[in-house]
Amino acid sequence: VACGGGPAGGPGAAATEAPAAESPVTEDSDEVQLAPELSVYNWADYIDEQVLADYEERYGVRIIYDTFASNEDLLTKLQAGASGYDVIFPSDYMVVQMIELGLLAEIDVDSMPNFANINEAFKNPPYDPGNAHCTPYQWGMTGISYRRGNPAFADSPPDSWAYLFDPAVMEKYAAEGINVLNDQRELMAAALFYLGYSPNSTDRAELEAARDLILQAKPSWKTFNSEDYYSTLMESDEIVLSHAWSGDAAQAFWNTYDEAEGTGNWLFSVPKEGAVRFADNACIPANSKRQETARHFINYLMEPEVAAAITNFTFYPSPNEAAKEFIDPEILNNPGIYPPPEVAAKLEWLVDVGDAIFIYDEMWTAIKGQ
Ligand code: SPD
């Protein structure tokens, strides 16, 4: 697996080769003439590299693998004209934006036998009717991860977004380090939840209030990081609390697990005001020159053992029903990974906000600029 080089045409592309064309394909995916290479662009730490190596070995396709930190980074890369990516993993609301911009190819799930393995609840999502462009990859929730044993959290877990936004609450631990996700929709959603507004608000006054809340809290935060915060900041004790995606927090839990104590150092909480539920999806950019190979790879990702291997590595729930029997029971029964009904009831999807995205962009520029 070749990691990190970036595809031809994108930043960091100098070392890559020109995309190799596919040979003609047949209807039967077993008879697809696969391209010699496939460029896969995913979130950080979001796949078991063995899954990539197995595909390379089984099918003789070399995978060029690179990662991004947010949906907006992915969109910017595609809009800048990056060509060469063959499989990408945008979230729900970003799928809508990308479809509207004509950035995604159609995938034809009828030609993917493993699509039958997907749980019905994850098929035909509102953001991609009929799964015309994408298949669901993994899902999760966004909350707060905090360091077990810190006196500031002794009496109760951080069960409110106040732990990120209220100076009186934060003063007990801010000096020890707070990280927030470097993700415009996610950070705005956390502020909007705390203020009692919809995480999908399109109201300028509400969005300005969220921006102002973020700006007054920002001096208390140490870092904006959504890419490797769990390994570089949490597991190494550079911080004591982080805005976090559930699987990343679970990785930090297991990577700091102490056998004698029977627990890890990092725990996860879903704030009482509400939190984001997301689904990331395997899709093909419209300008991919290896679309049949990309479809073949996406079908491979939906094999039960493959989907289970991914969840067993990333600690994010799988939408793949047939994978369940291969997923570690400790993961399946972990409420921080598969939320119980009372937690699920607090979760909301981010949806496309239409033209209000320009207000979000304006707020984000102010947030990152000051
Ligand atoms: N380290 C992998 C993180 C993947 C998270 N995707 C979250 C998208 C939320 N909008």
Side-chain angles (χ1 to χ4, degrees):
V1 182
C3 291
T16 61
E17 299 156 32
E22 292 170 315
S23 307
V25 297
T26 67
E27 288 296 302
D28 183 339
S29 65
D30 287 341
E31 295 171 34
V32 168
Q33 301 295 301
L34 298 171
E37 288 180 347
L38 192 71
S39 177
V40 177
Y41 196 36
N42 199 353
W43 299 83
D45 295 322
Y46 216 28
I47 201 160
D48 180 348
E49 285 198 7
Q50 190 59 45
V51 161
L52 302 175
D54 288 349
Y55 185 81
E56 290 185 320
E57 191 179 14
R58 214 200 280 180
Y59 298 107
V61 176
R62 175 174 173 265
I63 294 180
I64 302 160
Y65 195 78
D66 201 2
T67 61
F68 56 84
S70 72
N71 283 297
E72 286 66 32
D73 284 358
L74 169 62
L75 177 64
T76 302
K77 207 80 170 273
L78 291 191
Q79 286 185 305
S83 59
Y85 293 126
D86 300 305
V87 181
I88 56 173
F89 296 84
S91 305
D92 34 63
Y93 74 89
M94 183 52 69
V95 168
V96 178
Q97 280 183 245
M98 289 184 168
I99 292 172
E100 280 175 6
L101 291 165
L103 293 171
L104 298 183
E106 298 210 343
I107 54 168
D108 185 19
V109 286
D110 291 341
S111 71
M112 294 183 177
N114 291 329
F115 186 68
N117 297 329
I118 299 296
N119 184 311
E120 290 301 317
F122 289 89
K123 289 181 178 172
N124 192 25
Y127 55 83
D128 181 27
N131 292 94
H133 302 84
C134 307
T135 64
Y137 177 64
Q138 296 202 98
W139 61 281
M141 49 192 167
T142 313
I144 293 174
S145 189
Y146 59 100
R147 194 170 153 72
R148 180 180 62 85
N150 187 285
F153 315 131
D155 294 337
S156 65
D159 61 350
S160 162
W161 292 114
Y163 282 78
L164 276 191
F165 296 120
D166 184 341
V169 176
M170 284 188 290
E171 71 178 8
K172 300 183 191 113
Y173 50 85
E176 296 176 77
I178 297 171
N179 175 65
V180 294
L181 293 174
N182 191 18
D183 185 302
Q184 110 175 31
R185 288 295 307 272
E186 286 282 6
L187 189 55
M188 286 292 285
L192 289 163
F193 274 124
Y194 182 56
L195 293 169
Y197 301 137
S198 162
N200 298 299
S201 175
T202 56
D203 181 287
R204 172 171 278 276
E206 293 179 2
L207 296 172
E208 287 179 350
R211 173 203 60 197
D212 292 345
L213 180 70
I214 290 169
L215 285 176
Q216 63 81 33
K218 187 179 168 185
S220 303
W221 300 338
K222 182 173 180 177
T223 41
F224 282 71
N225 182 323
S226 55
E227 192 149 29
D228 58 5
Y229 60 102
Y230 36 97
S231 54
T232 61
L233 299 172
M234 291 164 63
E235 292 167 24
S236 57
D237 291 339
E238 291 291 318
I239 56 171
V240 75
L241 180 135
S242 184
H243 184 205
W245 287 313
S246 49
D248 297 349
Q251 286 185 43
F253 174 89
W254 286 109
N255 289 341
T256 57
Y257 193 82
D258 184 314
E259 287 291 345
E261 296 196 80
T263 181
N265 285 339
W266 286 90
L267 306 178
F268 183 74
S269 170
V270 176
K272 61 186 175 202
E273 297 92 351
V276 169
R277 172 204 292 266
F278 61 82
D280 297 323
N281 305 273
C283 320
I284 304 173
N287 65 2
S288 161
K289 294 190 170 52
R290 299 176 279 220
Q291 295 193 10
E292 284 308 320
T293 308
R295 287 185 189 95
H296 185 267
F297 178 74
I298 291 173
N299 185 56
Y300 164 78
L301 292 180
M302 294 186 290
E303 285 184 12
E305 291 90 340
V306 171
I310 294 169
T311 285
N312 287 335
F313 179 86
T314 65
F315 298 102
Y316 282 92
S318 177
N320 192 311
E321 189 62 27
K324 271 193 176 152
E325 64 175 297
F326 304 106
I327 295 176
D328 184 339
E330 281 207 72
I331 291 179
L332 284 177
N333 298 319
N334 185 328
I337 299 176
Y338 284 86
E342 67 276 14
V343 175
K346 293 194 280 183
L347 303 175
E348 281 187 59
W349 295 96
L350 293 183
V351 301
D352 176 46
V353 291
D355 284 348
I357 195 60
F358 298 113
I359 311 178
Y360 279 81
D361 289 344
E362 186 188 325
M363 301 300 118
W364 190 242
T365 301
I367 290 163
K368 295 307 294 287
Q370 285 190 20

